Amino acid sequence: MYKFEPHSIRLGISACLLGEKVRFDGGHKRSLYCRELTRHFEFVPVCPEMAIGLGAPRPSIRQVQVAEQIRIQNVKGELDVTDELQRYCQQKVATLDFLSGYILCAKSPTCGMERVTVYKDGTNNGSKSGVGVLAAALQQRWPQLPIEEEGRLNDLLIRENFFTRVYAYHDWQILQQSGVSRHKLTDFHARYKYLLLAHCPKLYRALGPLLADTSLPLALVSERYFVTFMAALSHQASRNNHTSALQHIQGYFKKFLNKQQKAELSRVIMDYRKGLQPLLAPLTLINHYLLEFPSPYISKQVYLKPHPQELKLRYAY
């Protein structure tokens, strides 16, 4: 059995994406990008169809609308594995509290996160309205867990947002393991100030009063904080919000930078806002000034390094 490990980030993944031959045709859907990620994450592969004993190769299964229910059947309809799949997936996801994220295979009747084809009973006509059995169980049991489909990670903005949430989720798990206190919550919130501002200023502003409300039990504050925290990070960070966060950080250097340095930092930030520079340009300059003029408060900001540079995730901005 796995247990949470602070020094190792574990991600669940559809087994076929790692090259395991578990698909209905005996093949796989190996993802070269996911294979590259094994340098940074420990993957926990899962294939519900193999787990319930369907084997590979096997008859393909699909989601079918039967009366008011979605059933998981083979094309001819004589094989129905709905109950077995649902039972397995519910039992499996209950054991996955150690994960910090999950990467799913698209379109699968078991793993698809969205737009899974649901066929009308007895026909080959369908609509892309379904959610895979495992994906639905994950979303129900762990609603804040970062979940994404492998194909969508080709979009650099989606990719960056997903892994930002993965690292933040893992950071929260570390806090939970160490024992939550009001002081630790406040410190956690302070470290994430500018990252939250870049993603969703409205929800960031809602978190302060929540932490300040001493009339609520700590457990309730912690729960509500985390739900809002992850909701804020699920918003795509915008160029304008990034600019605002950068300008807030810029303010900490006013007393230390000379006129030329202030002008240079302002210019680089505004060039970023206009789309003339990538986000890395002002961040690199800020990190340079931090070395010259250390600020403990700014140095601990997760915004400056929400994930390892080796992942090259901020090249989309």
Side-chain angles (χ1 to χ4, degrees):
M1 287 289 292
Y2 287 100
K3 63 179 181 179
F4 176 71
E5 172 54 58
H7 304 295
S8 177
I9 299 181
R10 294 192 176 103
L11 303 180
I13 191 169
S14 296
C16 59
L17 296 176
L18 291 183
E20 295 187 21
K21 296 180 178 181
V22 296
R23 285 176 55 78
F24 73 95
D25 58 1
H28 58 75
K29 290 197 70 175
R30 181 184 289 113
S31 165
L32 294 179
Y33 180 65
C34 288
R35 295 295 298 181
E36 291 176 6
L37 291 174
T38 57
R39 291 178 291 178
H40 303 278
F41 306 101
E42 180 181 349
F43 280 119
V44 180
V46 177
C47 178
E49 295 174 32
M50 291 290 285
I52 65 170
L54 290 182
R58 59 181 176 271
S60 63
I61 58 176
R62 60 185 189 172
Q63 295 195 3
V64 182
Q65 181 79 48
V66 180
E68 300 300 317
Q69 288 187 320
I70 303 294
R71 307 296 296 180
I72 313 299
Q73 303 175 342
N74 68 346
V75 176
K76 294 182 179 181
E78 77 268 19
L79 175 66
D80 189 308
V81 294
T82 310
D83 296 338
E84 294 95 326
L85 272 176
Q86 289 180 341
R87 182 163 50 251
Y88 169 78
C89 290
Q90 290 169 3
Q91 291 173 350
K92 183 64 176 179
V93 301
T95 69
L96 300 180
D97 58 325
F98 58 88
L99 294 181
S100 302
Y102 211 109
I103 300 177
L104 295 164
C105 180
K107 301 179 182 179
S108 164
T110 54
C111 294
M113 188 179 76
E114 59 181 16
R115 296 178 59 78
V116 174
T117 301
V118 179
Y119 293 89
K120 295 180 181 179
D121 190 17
T123 76
N124 286 322
N125 299 321
S127 62
K128 296 183 183 299
S129 58
V131 177
V133 180
L134 177 64
L138 281 168
Q139 292 167 347
Q140 182 179 21
R141 183 67 178 83
W142 308 110
Q144 277 69 58
L145 182 72
I147 301 174
E148 195 50 83
E149 288 183 341
E150 182 271 340
R152 282 167 47 89
L153 294 179
N154 290 320
D155 183 309
L156 295 181
L157 291 175
I158 291 175
R159 181 189 298 181
E160 198 274 340
N161 181 268
F162 172 68
F163 286 109
T164 293
R165 288 183 290 128
V166 164
Y167 278 90
Y169 193 97
H170 186 258
D171 201 7
W172 178 263
Q173 289 172 304
I174 293 174
L175 172 63
Q176 291 287 303
Q177 188 182 65
S178 71
V180 179
S181 68
R182 292 188 183 273
H183 174 75
K184 288 181 180 179
L185 271 178
T186 301
D187 182 68
F188 183 91
H189 183 61
R191 291 193 297 110
Y192 277 90
K193 174 179 179 177
Y194 296 112
L195 187 63
L196 290 167
L197 279 173
H199 282 262
C200 188
K202 180 180 178 180
L203 290 180
Y204 165 74
R205 288 191 290 269
L207 288 170
L210 174 62
L211 293 179
D213 190 349
T214 56
S215 67
L216 295 175
L218 176 59
L220 183 58
V221 172
S222 177
E223 177 185 354
R224 290 181 179 178
Y225 179 89
F226 184 53
V227 170
T228 306
F229 173 79
M230 292 304 297
L233 294 184
S234 70
H235 286 258
Q236 200 71 258
S238 70
R239 191 172 290 272
N240 282 342
N241 286 343
H242 270 304
T243 300
S244 177
L246 291 166
Q247 289 174 332
H248 274 84
I249 294 174
Q250 180 185 19
Y252 281 86
F253 293 102
K254 285 184 177 180
K255 296 180 180 179
F256 307 103
L257 304 183
N258 59 39
K259 185 177 180 180
Q260 182 180 357
Q261 290 171 324
K262 290 177 182 178
E264 180 185 26
L265 183 53
S266 293
R267 177 186 59 78
V268 173
I269 291 175
M270 292 313 296
D271 281 351
Y272 161 72
R273 183 175 186 176
K274 296 173 185 176
L276 303 176
Q277 292 273 17
L279 180 60
L280 284 176
L283 288 177
T284 299
L285 192 54
I286 285 171
N287 281 312
H288 169 73
Y289 288 145
L290 268 178
L291 291 175
E292 192 172 353
F293 310 107
S295 167
Y297 180 73
I298 299 300
S299 294
K300 71 179 183 179
Q301 287 298 316
V302 176
Y303 178 74
L304 298 179
K305 191 179 180 181
H307 29 63
Q309 187 174 354
E310 293 77 12
L311 286 171
K312 302 177 182 178
L313 294 174
R314 277 186 157 169
Y315 288 79
Y317 292 96

